[in-house]
Amino acid sequence: MTDHPIGLSIRGGVKVYPGTRALKGVDFDLRMGAVNVLVGENGAGKSTLMKVIAGVESLTEGRIELQGREVRFRNKADAVREGIGIVFQELNLFPNLTVAENIFIGHEPVRAGLDIDQRSQARATRALMARLEQDIDPDTPLDHLRVGQQQIVEIAKALSQDARILILDEPTSALSAAEVEVLFGVIEELKSQGVGIVYISHRLDELIRVGDYITVLRDGEITGSRPMQGVDIPWIVRAMIGEKSKEFPRTEAPSFGEEIFRADHVTLPRAGGGFAVDRVSLSVRRGEIVGLYGLMGAGRTEFLECVMAQHPASAGRIFVDGHPVIERDVAGRIARGIALIPEDRKRDGLVQIMAIRENLTLSSLGLFTRGFHLNLKAEAARALDFVRRLAIKIASPENPVSSLSGGNQQKVVIGKALMTSPKILLMDEPSRGIDIGAKAEVFTTMRALAGQGLGILFVTSDLDEVLALSDRVLVMANGRITGEFPAGTDPATVIAAATPSFLKEPSA
C-alpha cells in the first residue's frame, strides 16, 4: 500500500545456532506508519527475527535492507544509530537507578562535555512521561515502581532515542487495562508520525485490534503474510500450527490409579491489583500425565510456584495422597512428595560450576548424611544409578554440569527431582531450549515415569506437545482454568479456550 511504504526488508534470512536453525530463509517486510504484528508459537523464531533487526544477533545468511540500501548491524548500537529501538519482554532496566537515569543510560545529555546535565535529563523525562500519560517523577528509584510502570519506562527509553522503527515484544504482558489503553494511544500517535512498529503478542485480540499487517512464523519459516483486513482466528490458527503434529506416540496403554494430587482454589494476588492465579482447582491421578496449556501471562508458572510454596502471599489448599499439605516452605513440600522442574533450568534448576554428581544429589543430601558427615561413596553410587536410568550422556559424573548439552542438563534436573522420591512431578516447559532428539528422550522418560505410577503435571506453550503427550489437557487464561479436554482434541478448540476473549462473537 502506498500509504505504508516498506522501510526495512529481510531477504533469505537464515539464523543458525548450534544444533538448530532458528530462521529458515525468511523474507520479511516492515511497513512504515503501520503496526506490523508478528505471531507464532513459542520457539517459532519471532524473538530471533526481532533480535536480528535490532542488531542483537547477526544473520548467518541473507541480507537486511533499510530504505532500499543494504545494512549490516554488528551490534545493537549500530541499529540504534539507524533509528531502530526494541522493547524486550524481559525488562532491561536497573532497579537501583532513577527513572530518568534508566531512560537516558548510555546517551545522557552532558554539559560542556564534562558532566551529566541532570536538569535537562529530568525535563526530557517529564516530557516523555507526559507523552505516555504517566505521572511518574523522573527522580523515582525504579524499584519503587510496579512492573507495569517499569514497562512504561522501558518504552520511554526506546522513544528517547527517536526510534523510527520500534519493536514491541509482548509489551502488554505486565500492564493493567488502563495502561494498555494508554499504550495503544501512543501507538496510534507514533503511526501518524510515520514510525514503523513491530508488535509481538500472544494475545490474539490485541493483534486484531492494533495490527495493520500480519506475519505468521512457524518453526523458523513464514507461513502467512498479508494485510490485516479480513484476517480471522481460524486463519491465524492454521498459519500458526499447520496441519501437521509432532509425534510422541505411546508404547503402551495408560493405566491410572487413584487421585495422587489435588489443588483447591489456589489464589495468588498480582502486584497492582487482580490475580496472577485466580481460584485454580485441579487434580492428577497416579500414572496420569496432565498438560497445562496457556499463552504468555496465563498464570501457569505462578500456579506451579504456589504449589511449591514459593509465594508466601498465595492461598488455597494442596493435597497429596488424600492428605492436606500444611508445610509452607519448599523443603517441606519436597518432603511431602512434590517436586518441581523449573522453567529456567540454568537459573533455578542447576548450579553450573558444580559437578554433575553434586547437582543430581543437591535436593536429597539427607539420604547420604550421617551426623555431620556426607557418605561420598553412597552419593556417587546413587548419582551413577540415575545417570544410567535416565540415559544421561556424560564422560564423568565429576565434570561440571555446564559441560553437558541442553537435553542432558534437563535430564540432570529431572534426575535431581526424582531422587527425592516424589509422588507428583511438576514440570515447567520441560522441552524448552533442547533439540528435537533430546525432546523425544525427555518425553520417553516422562511416559516411563507415568508408567511407574508417578503423577505428572506439566506446563507447555507448545500446542502439539500438549495434545500429543497429555492424557488430559487443562487450559489456563488470565489466571483461571478455562477448559479441560481429552487427548486428541482439535487444536482450534484448545486455542479458543486459551484466548477467551474470542469465545464471544465480536460486535458488528
Side-chain angles (χ1 to χ4, degrees), residues 344-406:
D344 190 336
R345 62 174 173 270
K346 289 186 177 180
R347 187 189 69 188
D348 301 324
L350 298 169
V351 181
Q352 295 289 316
I353 62 173
M354 291 175 65
I356 297 164
R357 166 185 56 82
E358 293 170 316
N359 273 280
L360 277 166
T361 60
L362 199 55
S363 295
S364 51
L365 289 174
L367 297 174
F368 319 108
T369 305
R370 297 294 179 268
F372 294 103
H373 299 284
L374 182 65
N375 186 335
L376 292 175
K377 188 175 180 180
E379 181 200 20
R382 183 76 164 161
L384 277 175
D385 178 44
F386 273 83
V387 166
R388 285 191 292 267
R389 286 170 58 180
L390 295 174
I392 306 173
K393 298 179 179 68
I394 64 170
S396 165
E398 301 309 313
N399 287 349
V401 75
S402 58
S403 67
L404 299 180
S405 67

Side-chain angles (χ1 to χ4, degrees), residues 17 24 43 45 72 79 122 126 156 162 174 184 188 231 268 300 340 361:
Y17 295 107
K24 306 170 184 176
R72 293 186 182 276
R126 288 191 185 92
D162 295 321
F184 288 170
E188 286 298 320
V231 168
L268 177 65
R300 303 159 304 158
L340 170 65
T361 60

Side-chain angles (χ1 to χ4, degrees), residues 7-162:
L8 181 144
S9 294
I10 292 179
R11 289 293 175 264
V14 174
K15 179 62 182 178
V16 178
Y17 295 107
T20 185
R21 288 169 68 89
L23 298 177
K24 306 170 184 176
V26 166
D27 292 334
F28 175 72
D29 291 324
L30 189 158
R31 295 182 177 271
M32 305 302 288
V35 175
N36 305 262
V37 302
L38 192 60
V39 66
E41 289 188 278
N42 282 21
K46 306 186 301 296
S47 293
T48 300
L49 181 60
M50 292 306 99
K51 286 177 180 177
V52 165
I53 294 174
V56 178
E57 299 279 5
S58 299
L59 284 175
T60 308
E61 299 174 22
R63 68 183 191 276
I64 303 175
E65 295 181 358
L66 189 64
Q67 306 293 345
R69 58 186 172 86
E70 185 170 355
V71 293
R72 293 186 182 276
F73 300 145
R74 293 165 299 173
N75 49 47
K76 188 182 175 186
D78 284 351
V80 168
R81 279 191 289 272
E82 295 286 358
I84 298 173
I86 184 167
V87 176
F88 290 107
Q89 181 182 350
E90 295 85 11
L91 297 178
N92 191 22
L93 300 169
F94 296 89
N96 58 323
L97 299 182
T98 68
V99 169
E101 288 168 337
N102 268 283
I103 290 174
F104 287 95
I105 193 162
H107 60 108
E108 298 87 347
V110 294
R111 291 184 298 189
L114 297 175
D115 64 346
I116 296 173
D117 187 346
Q118 294 185 339
R119 185 172 297 178
S120 173
Q121 187 170 267
R123 186 165 55 248
T125 299
R126 288 191 185 92
L128 284 165
M129 289 298 112
R131 183 178 179 185
L132 293 169
E133 300 181 28
Q134 294 295 305
D135 185 20
I136 299 175
D137 190 285
D139 296 324
T140 304
L142 189 88
D143 59 3
H144 289 193
L145 303 181
R146 56 189 181 80
V147 175
Q149 291 175 309
Q150 292 183 24
Q151 181 73 278
I152 294 290
V153 171
E154 186 76 87
I155 293 167
K157 181 178 165 185
L159 295 179
S160 71
Q161 300 178 57
D162 295 321

Side-chain angles (χ1 to χ4, degrees), residues 273-291:
F275 295 94
V277 180
D278 191 356
R279 293 166 292 173
V280 169
S281 299
L282 57 85
S283 65
V284 181
R285 293 169 288 178
R286 291 185 188 275
E288 185 180 29
I289 299 177
V290 176

Side-chain angles (χ1 to χ4, degrees), residues 69 109 120 133 141 168 174 200 245 271 305 424 485:
R69 58 186 172 86
S120 173
E133 300 181 28
L168 302 176
I200 302 174
S245 173
E305 291 171 346
I424 176 72
F485 307 99

